[in-house]
Amino acid sequence: MIKELKSCTLLFIDNCVIATIKEGVVFDKTESTLQTNAILEFYKDKPFVYISNRKYSYSVDPTIYNETSKLLNLSAFAVVTKNLSARFTEIERLFLNKPFEVFSDLDEALAWSKNILNK
């Protein structure tokens, strides 16, 4: 299932949500709340993995991860990118209290997420 939001597209595949944030978006607390509400509406209390598919350039307020970490059914967080600096993902990792991995390929992230969910 696909859900379009103002700031992003959410693709729900089993227990993985793949989020593609749109070009030029400033992803802040407001955008995060809208996205979280859509995800929780879909999954309810079922565990899921969030995959950030970073195809476009946009800004993220890393402090949103403090709230994201409080989602009890969020099992893990993955980033798929070909050009994101390792330094920025390390900053994100500091704010998120969940398993966190970076991949250059979406299929690798999906395989990792299945392993996380099967544990």
Side-chain angles (χ1 to χ4, degrees):
M1 179 186 140
I2 296 175
K3 178 146 182 119
E4 288 288 337
L5 299 175
K6 181 181 171 187
S7 63
C8 67
T9 301
L10 300 174
L11 173 61
F12 297 94
I13 302 175
D14 298 323
N15 286 56
C16 296
V17 58
I18 301 169
T20 305
I21 309 297
K22 296 176 181 175
E23 184 76 33
V25 165
V26 176
F27 203 77
D28 57 13
K29 185 176 181 176
T30 301
E31 296 302 327
S32 177
T33 299
L34 292 170
Q35 184 186 76
T36 298
N37 289 342
I39 292 169
L40 292 178
E41 179 181 314
F42 185 83
Y43 288 117
K44 311 266 187 265
D45 293 330
K46 290 174 27 180
F48 69 94
V49 172
Y50 181 96
I51 299 174
S52 177
N53 189 20
R54 300 202 175 157
K55 293 170 62 173
Y56 306 110
S57 177
Y58 61 91
S59 301
V60 177
D61 175 358
T63 62
I64 64 172
Y65 296 123
N66 288 326
E67 290 302 311
T68 302
S69 290
K70 295 176 185 175
L71 295 174
L72 298 178
N73 55 331
L74 173 62
S75 298
F77 192 98
V79 172
V80 177
T81 184
K82 295 193 186 310
N83 60 9
L84 186 67
S85 75
R87 183 176 159 200
F88 186 74
T89 57
E90 288 306 314
I91 291 170
E92 288 177 290
R93 189 184 310 264
L94 293 174
F95 287 93
L96 190 67
N97 188 22
K98 301 282 181 176
F100 183 103
E101 291 296 331
V102 179
F103 301 92
S104 60
D105 179 80
L106 185 57
D107 290 333
E108 291 174 4
L110 286 166
W112 175 78
S113 69
K114 287 180 183 177
N115 284 335
I116 290 287
L117 290 164
N118 287 331
K119 287 184 179 178

